[in-house]
Short mmCIF file of all heavy atoms in Angstrom, two decimals:
data_model
loop_
_atom_site.label_atom_id
_atom_site.label_comp_id
_atom_site.label_asym_id
_atom_site.label_seq_id
_atom_site.Cartn_x
_atom_site.Cartn_y
_atom_site.Cartn_z
N ASN A 23 -3.54 -23.67 -24.52
CA ASN A 23 -3.65 -23.49 -23.06
C ASN A 23 -3.72 -22.03 -22.66
O ASN A 23 -3.72 -21.72 -21.46
CB ASN A 23 -2.44 -24.16 -22.36
CG ASN A 23 -2.44 -25.67 -22.60
OD1 ASN A 23 -3.42 -26.33 -22.29
ND2 ASN A 23 -1.39 -26.17 -23.21
N ASP A 44 -9.20 -31.75 -38.03
CA ASP A 44 -10.21 -32.21 -37.08
C ASP A 44 -9.56 -32.56 -35.73
O ASP A 44 -9.83 -33.58 -35.11
CB ASP A 44 -10.90 -33.47 -37.63
CG ASP A 44 -12.22 -33.74 -36.87
OD1 ASP A 44 -12.74 -32.75 -36.31
OD2 ASP A 44 -12.67 -34.88 -36.81
N THR A 56 -15.80 -37.74 -21.86
CA THR A 56 -16.22 -38.29 -20.56
C THR A 56 -17.16 -37.35 -19.80
O THR A 56 -17.49 -37.61 -18.67
CB THR A 56 -14.97 -38.47 -19.69
OG1 THR A 56 -14.40 -37.16 -19.47
CG2 THR A 56 -13.94 -39.37 -20.38
N MET A 60 -12.76 -31.18 -16.50
CA MET A 60 -11.30 -31.03 -16.36
C MET A 60 -10.99 -29.83 -15.45
O MET A 60 -9.97 -29.15 -15.62
CB MET A 60 -10.62 -30.87 -17.73
CG MET A 60 -10.84 -32.07 -18.62
SD MET A 60 -10.35 -33.62 -17.79
CE MET A 60 -8.58 -33.43 -17.75
N THR A 76 1.04 -22.23 -0.18
CA THR A 76 1.96 -23.37 -0.36
C THR A 76 1.17 -24.64 -0.62
O THR A 76 1.54 -25.48 -1.44
CB THR A 76 2.86 -23.53 0.89
OG1 THR A 76 3.54 -22.30 1.14
CG2 THR A 76 3.88 -24.65 0.70
N SER A 88 -2.00 -33.32 -14.94
CA SER A 88 -3.03 -34.21 -15.49
C SER A 88 -4.07 -33.44 -16.29
O SER A 88 -5.20 -33.86 -16.44
CB SER A 88 -3.72 -34.98 -14.33
OG SER A 88 -2.78 -35.79 -13.70
N ARG A 91 -7.59 -27.92 -14.71
CA ARG A 91 -7.48 -26.51 -14.32
C ARG A 91 -7.93 -26.38 -12.88
O ARG A 91 -8.82 -27.14 -12.44
CB ARG A 91 -8.41 -25.64 -15.20
CG ARG A 91 -8.10 -25.71 -16.67
CD ARG A 91 -6.84 -24.96 -17.03
NE ARG A 91 -6.54 -25.07 -18.46
CZ ARG A 91 -5.87 -26.09 -19.00
NH1 ARG A 91 -5.44 -27.09 -18.22
NH2 ARG A 91 -5.62 -26.13 -20.29
N ARG A 102 -20.26 -17.78 6.38
CA ARG A 102 -21.25 -17.33 5.40
C ARG A 102 -20.69 -17.42 3.99
O ARG A 102 -21.29 -17.94 3.07
CB ARG A 102 -21.66 -15.89 5.72
CG ARG A 102 -22.82 -15.34 4.88
CD ARG A 102 -23.09 -13.89 5.17
NE ARG A 102 -21.85 -13.07 5.04
CZ ARG A 102 -21.29 -12.78 3.86
NH1 ARG A 102 -21.80 -13.24 2.73
NH2 ARG A 102 -20.19 -12.03 3.80
N ARG A 115 -20.05 -27.38 -12.79
CA ARG A 115 -19.51 -28.62 -13.37
C ARG A 115 -18.02 -28.74 -13.04
O ARG A 115 -17.17 -28.53 -13.88
CB ARG A 115 -19.69 -28.59 -14.90
CG ARG A 115 -21.01 -29.19 -15.35
CD ARG A 115 -21.00 -29.39 -16.88
NE ARG A 115 -20.13 -30.47 -17.31
CZ ARG A 115 -19.18 -30.33 -18.23
NH1 ARG A 115 -18.96 -29.16 -18.77
NH2 ARG A 115 -18.43 -31.37 -18.59
N ASP A 147 -6.27 -30.68 6.19
CA ASP A 147 -5.77 -29.85 7.30
C ASP A 147 -6.73 -29.77 8.49
O ASP A 147 -6.33 -29.98 9.62
CB ASP A 147 -5.48 -28.43 6.79
CG ASP A 147 -5.04 -27.49 7.90
OD1 ASP A 147 -4.08 -27.84 8.59
OD2 ASP A 147 -5.69 -26.46 8.11
N MET A 159 -4.06 -34.52 6.78
CA MET A 159 -3.78 -33.42 7.73
C MET A 159 -2.43 -33.69 8.39
O MET A 159 -1.86 -34.77 8.24
CB MET A 159 -4.88 -33.38 8.79
CG MET A 159 -4.92 -34.62 9.65
SD MET A 159 -6.43 -34.78 10.62
CE MET A 159 -6.06 -33.73 11.99
N HIS A 172 9.16 -28.83 24.36
CA HIS A 172 10.45 -28.14 24.17
C HIS A 172 10.57 -26.98 25.16
O HIS A 172 11.60 -26.82 25.83
CB HIS A 172 10.57 -27.62 22.74
CG HIS A 172 11.77 -26.74 22.50
ND1 HIS A 172 13.06 -27.22 22.57
CD2 HIS A 172 11.87 -25.41 22.24
CE1 HIS A 172 13.90 -26.23 22.34
NE2 HIS A 172 13.21 -25.12 22.13
N GLY A 175 11.11 -28.24 28.54
CA GLY A 175 12.49 -28.76 28.64
C GLY A 175 13.51 -27.65 28.84
O GLY A 175 14.58 -27.88 29.39
N TYR A 200 -0.84 -29.05 23.73
CA TYR A 200 -0.16 -28.14 24.67
C TYR A 200 -0.46 -28.57 26.10
O TYR A 200 0.45 -28.76 26.92
CB TYR A 200 -0.65 -26.73 24.39
CG TYR A 200 -0.59 -25.73 25.53
CD1 TYR A 200 0.59 -25.04 25.84
CD2 TYR A 200 -1.73 -25.47 26.31
CE1 TYR A 200 0.63 -24.12 26.88
CE2 TYR A 200 -1.69 -24.56 27.35
CZ TYR A 200 -0.52 -23.88 27.64
OH TYR A 200 -0.47 -22.97 28.68
N TYR A 224 -1.92 -9.97 13.81
CA TYR A 224 -2.48 -8.92 14.66
C TYR A 224 -2.95 -9.46 16.01
O TYR A 224 -2.79 -8.82 17.04
CB TYR A 224 -3.61 -8.20 13.91
CG TYR A 224 -3.14 -7.80 12.53
CD1 TYR A 224 -3.55 -8.53 11.39
CD2 TYR A 224 -2.19 -6.79 12.36
CE1 TYR A 224 -3.05 -8.22 10.14
CE2 TYR A 224 -1.69 -6.47 11.09
CZ TYR A 224 -2.12 -7.19 10.00
OH TYR A 224 -1.62 -6.91 8.75
N GLY A 228 -1.60 -8.41 19.54
CA GLY A 228 -2.55 -7.85 20.52
C GLY A 228 -2.70 -8.65 21.79
O GLY A 228 -3.17 -8.17 22.81
N THR A 241 6.84 -16.79 30.89
CA THR A 241 8.24 -16.64 30.43
C THR A 241 8.39 -17.24 29.04
O THR A 241 9.48 -17.18 28.45
CB THR A 241 9.19 -17.39 31.39
OG1 THR A 241 8.82 -18.79 31.39
CG2 THR A 241 9.09 -16.83 32.81
N GLY A 253 3.74 -11.87 15.38
CA GLY A 253 3.08 -10.72 16.02
C GLY A 253 3.54 -10.55 17.45
O GLY A 253 3.76 -9.43 17.94
N ALA A 258 6.73 -7.72 21.48
CA ALA A 258 7.75 -7.86 22.54
C ALA A 258 8.86 -6.83 22.32
O ALA A 258 9.29 -6.14 23.25
CB ALA A 258 8.32 -9.27 22.54
N ASP A 268 14.17 -12.88 27.64
CA ASP A 268 13.09 -12.56 28.59
C ASP A 268 11.84 -13.37 28.31
O ASP A 268 11.02 -13.60 29.18
CB ASP A 268 12.72 -11.06 28.49
CG ASP A 268 13.92 -10.17 28.77
OD1 ASP A 268 14.81 -10.62 29.53
OD2 ASP A 268 13.98 -9.05 28.21
N ALA A 270 10.60 -16.68 25.69
CA ALA A 270 10.79 -17.63 24.58
C ALA A 270 9.51 -17.68 23.76
O ALA A 270 8.41 -17.60 24.31
CB ALA A 270 11.11 -19.02 25.16
N ASP A 275 3.84 -24.08 11.84
CA ASP A 275 3.69 -24.07 10.37
C ASP A 275 5.04 -24.12 9.66
O ASP A 275 5.18 -24.78 8.66
CB ASP A 275 2.93 -22.83 9.82
CG ASP A 275 1.45 -22.86 10.09
OD1 ASP A 275 0.95 -23.92 10.48
OD2 ASP A 275 0.79 -21.82 9.94
N TYR A 295 3.58 -28.21 1.42
CA TYR A 295 3.50 -28.48 -0.03
C TYR A 295 3.00 -29.90 -0.25
O TYR A 295 2.11 -30.16 -1.08
CB TYR A 295 4.87 -28.29 -0.68
CG TYR A 295 4.92 -28.63 -2.16
CD1 TYR A 295 4.48 -27.74 -3.12
CD2 TYR A 295 5.39 -29.88 -2.59
CE1 TYR A 295 4.51 -28.04 -4.47
CE2 TYR A 295 5.41 -30.22 -3.93
CZ TYR A 295 4.97 -29.30 -4.87
OH TYR A 295 4.99 -29.63 -6.21
N ARG A 318 -7.17 -41.94 4.78
CA ARG A 318 -7.10 -40.88 5.81
C ARG A 318 -5.64 -40.80 6.24
O ARG A 318 -5.15 -41.69 6.89
CB ARG A 318 -8.04 -41.19 6.98
CG ARG A 318 -9.49 -41.33 6.52
CD ARG A 318 -10.41 -41.80 7.64
NE ARG A 318 -10.57 -40.78 8.67
CZ ARG A 318 -11.33 -39.69 8.54
NH1 ARG A 318 -11.96 -39.49 7.41
NH2 ARG A 318 -11.44 -38.81 9.50
N ARG A 341 18.56 -18.95 34.68
CA ARG A 341 19.30 -20.20 34.42
C ARG A 341 19.46 -20.36 32.93
O ARG A 341 18.80 -19.72 32.12
CB ARG A 341 18.56 -21.40 34.99
CG ARG A 341 17.11 -21.51 34.50
CD ARG A 341 16.52 -22.85 34.67
NE ARG A 341 17.03 -23.76 33.61
CZ ARG A 341 16.58 -25.02 33.48
NH1 ARG A 341 15.70 -25.50 34.33
NH2 ARG A 341 17.01 -25.79 32.51
#
Side-chain angles (χ1 to χ4, degrees):
N23 297 304
D44 197 23
T56 63
M60 299 307 290
T76 304
S88 297
R91 300 286 179 275
R102 187 185 53 72
R115 270 191 72 233
D147 177 55
M159 64 195 278
H172 172 66
Y200 154 83
Y224 310 104
T241 60
D268 301 332
D275 287 348
Y295 176 81
R318 301 174 68 76
R341 55 161 283 185

